[in-house]
Amino acid sequence: QVQLVESGGGVVQPGGSLRLSCSTSGFIFSYHGMDWVRQAPGKGLEWVAFIRYDGSNIFYRDSVKGRFTISRDNSKNTLYLQMNSLRVEDTGVYYCAKRGRVQIAGVTAHYYYYYMDVWGKGITVTVSS
Amino acid sequence: DIVMTQSPLSLPVTPGEPAFISCRSSQSLLHSNGYNYLDWYLQKPGQSPQPLIYLGSDRASGVSDRFNGSGSGTDFTLKLSRVEAEDVGVYYCMQALQTPITFGQGTRLEIK
């Protein structure tokens, strides 16, 4: 079955760095876009970044631009999130999520819609002095 | 950024009764292709989120037909018919029309 397993979390001081990994199995990784979503302690979900199936399109939320880098290695079926210049407010559980594709019939053409159909169990990142 | 606002934030429900969660967006989520780019997710206690509804009203694979999504533009509703104990958790709406992708604050459903 489809599995996403995050790793690389831990405790780091403000200004430090961490690299998260999301190891995947059970599907053709190179066919699917991927996201990172985080959740601060006791708070709601916050989208962090997205990478297209081939890495050609990448998007970030403003608060992590220039500090975080999303990447993927399709030969290793693995997604990454390099996090630099970490801040206390980056603390939380980080989830990787796979984008599933559904075909939809538009008014004049067919389209594809991609939603987060499988999520990992998450990995905790704590930024504290 | 598109702001997503859910109500209520807390929802106590008697088993067997229906439940309704509202989600409003600060901009229309209607894409030029005629579909609303609005998804619903459920995060059960101690678990990661799981998809319920995509494109406003289509159930994700394996989701019970007790879950129904409706609405268009800026106003959306998730209806749970006949709430069961296993439905407990936090429900989030999410817009996928533009980045940054944004979520509602979450609605915590509990059993009375």
Side-chain angles (χ1 to χ4, degrees):
Chain A
Q1 74 278 24
V2 175
Q3 281 195 314
L4 309 176
V5 180
E6 302 92 340
S7 61
V11 180
V12 62
Q13 290 188 337
S17 298
L18 280 176
R19 188 198 197 201
L20 304 185
S21 299
C22 172
S23 298
T24 74
S25 61
F27 67 102
I28 303 176
F29 180 69
S30 61
Y31 284 11
H32 295 270
M34 300 290 294
D35 294 88
W36 286 100
V37 177
R38 66 186 180 185
Q39 186 169 35
K43 302 297 184 182
L45 301 173
E46 182 176 80
W47 173 79
V48 175
F50 165 80
I51 185 168
R52 200 168 177 242
Y53 67 95
D54 57 358
S56 61
N57 273 358
I58 287 175
F59 301 97
Y60 300 97
R61 67 179 303 102
D62 284 349
S63 62
V64 307
K65 280 181 186 175
R67 300 189 299 120
F68 289 12
T69 302
I70 188 173
S71 63
R72 62 191 298 155
D73 186 336
N74 285 348
S75 68
K76 295 182 178 180
N77 297 328
T78 302
L79 174 73
Y80 302 100
L81 186 67
Q82 177 67 45
M83 304 187 295
N84 299 329
S85 302
L86 281 161
R87 304 169 180 168
V88 171
E89 55 265 34
D90 294 319
T91 294
V93 176
Y94 284 70
Y95 299 99
C96 61
K98 163 186 168 286
R99 291 281 187 113
R101 187 178 80 172
V102 291
Q103 187 172 11
I104 55 179
V107 175
T108 58
H110 288 282
Y111 302 89
Y112 290 109
Y113 184 73
Y114 303 86
Y115 70 99
M116 300 178 202
D117 67 344
V118 181
W119 297 58
K121 294 188 185 304
I123 191 74
T124 300
V125 171
T126 302
V127 185
S128 173
S129 54
Chain B
D1 298 3
I2 296 178
V3 177
M4 306 298 291
T5 303
Q6 290 182 228
S7 63
L9 299 184
S10 180
L11 184 57
V13 184
T14 300
E17 294 296 305
F20 298 85
I21 300 172
S22 171
C23 176
R24 290 189 170 178
S25 56
S26 61
Q27 301 175 36
S28 175
L29 302 184
L30 184 62
H31 192 278
S32 57
N33 62 18
Y35 290 84
N36 289 281
Y37 280 33
L38 184 284
D39 304 334
W40 289 94
Y41 293 87
L42 165 60
Q43 187 172 31
K44 294 184 177 182
Q47 297 186 17
S48 53
Q50 59 190 77
L52 293 175
I53 301 288
Y54 61 89
L55 291 173
S57 59
D58 289 348
R59 274 187 294 274
S61 176
V63 173
S64 168
D65 59 7
R66 294 185 299 104
F67 292 89
N68 288 280
S70 63
S72 184
T74 61
D75 289 307
F76 299 88
T77 300
L78 178 68
K79 177 186 177 183
L80 292 74
S81 60
R82 308 182 313 277
V83 168
E84 299 178 359
E86 65 182 27
D87 300 332
V88 165
V90 181
Y91 291 78
Y92 295 93
C93 60
M94 184 203 87
Q95 68 80 18
L97 185 66
Q98 63 181 234
T99 56
I101 289 170
T102 47
F103 292 87
Q105 320 96 298
T107 295
R108 184 175 301 278
L109 186 147
E110 61 181 45
I111 299 296
K112 282 184 181 176

